[in-house]
Amino acid sequence: MPAAPIPHNEAERLAALRAMESLDAPEEEPLRRLTAAAARITGAPIAAVNLVDAQREWAAACIGTDTRQQDRAVAFCAHAILSDEPLVVEDNPQVTSDGVRFYAGVPLRSPDGSRIGALCVKDVRARTIDAAQLATLQDLAAAAERLLAQQRASRAARRYESLIQAADEAVISVSTSGVIQTWNAAAERLFQYPADQAI
């Protein structure tokens, strides 16, 4: 398969991808389990949540392979992000060094709607995928999008918590109903109450 063309909105797409903060991140168990489910449902030996960066494809989670990244020029997912529809290749006539002949991938979107990668399954032999399997793969892709967004939110929350705790000034946040939710180390020193008593 020849290298995929570059999407017309590549700069915006890459900005959305980088904002997800999933490139080069450690593989997280919920996403790995979802990927394993995709492999089981389709009977494919390889499955991945792949993110398409400027020059490479990065596996945020993968089953059946230890390869976490490859050149974008040979990546099926670089083709999958060109459309909203699933990409299915039942018998790849141009088998490359990875030996993949079958590919089915569903585009993954960031919260702003940019296509940033694909949930895909692969096989080294030619095969088909039926309508029910493809529909389930689409459902799993929607779940993968939610997991990627949750992971981003969780990383942001941890970063915020680290900044608050490292602040030299007392930081206290209170809910609209008056319940203390944040009480950092500087607030402990200033008011002489530990966080577990104040919150």
Side-chain angles (χ1 to χ4, degrees):
M1 185 174 278
I6 301 299
H8 66 88
N9 64 336
E10 182 71 349
E12 295 85 359
R13 191 192 72 76
L14 288 173
L17 170 62
R18 294 197 176 114
M20 296 298 293
E21 300 179 359
S22 295
L23 291 170
D24 301 308
E27 187 177 62
E28 296 193 22
E29 186 61 23
L31 206 54
R32 182 175 173 79
R33 292 181 68 174
L34 183 145
T35 305
R40 272 194 314 274
I41 286 163
T42 60
I46 303 165
V49 171
N50 285 330
L51 304 174
V52 180
D53 199 3
Q55 301 295 324
R56 64 181 175 145
E57 172 188 79
W58 169 259
C62 55
I63 294 290
T65 179
D66 293 328
T67 304
R68 297 279 314 264
Q69 71 177 6
Q70 69 172 344
D71 191 338
R72 179 177 175 170
V74 297
F76 281 101
C77 292
H79 293 270
I81 65 168
L82 298 175
S83 169
D84 289 330
E85 298 302 314
L87 172 65
V88 177
V89 179
E90 294 185 341
D91 189 3
N92 177 24
Q94 298 174 332
V95 178
T96 57
S97 59
D98 62 5
V100 172
R101 291 186 65 185
F102 166 82
Y103 172 93
V106 178
L108 296 173
R109 292 181 169 275
S110 65
D112 77 349
S114 299
R115 291 188 294 266
I116 57 171
L119 170 63
C120 67
V121 292
K122 304 177 187 178
D123 204 333
V124 296
R125 63 183 181 85
R127 58 182 299 160
T128 59
I129 184 169
D130 65 36
Q133 290 171 322
L134 190 56
T136 303
L137 198 61
Q138 289 174 291
D139 291 342
L140 289 173
E145 290 172 347
R146 288 190 297 276
L147 281 174
L148 287 168
Q150 288 169 3
Q151 289 172 0
R152 176 190 180 195
S154 177
R155 284 189 289 271
R158 287 194 300 269
R159 208 167 37 250
Y160 172 78
E161 181 63 24
S162 295
L163 288 171
I164 294 300
Q165 289 305 322
D168 291 331
E169 301 294 326
V171 177
I172 301 167
S173 65
V174 181
S175 72
T176 56
S177 60
V179 176
I180 295 174
Q181 296 178 316
T182 303
W183 187 274
N184 73 347
E188 288 184 337
R189 289 190 300 274
L190 179 64
F191 296 107
Q192 299 294 304
Y193 282 100
D196 61 346
Q197 286 182 12
I199 294 176

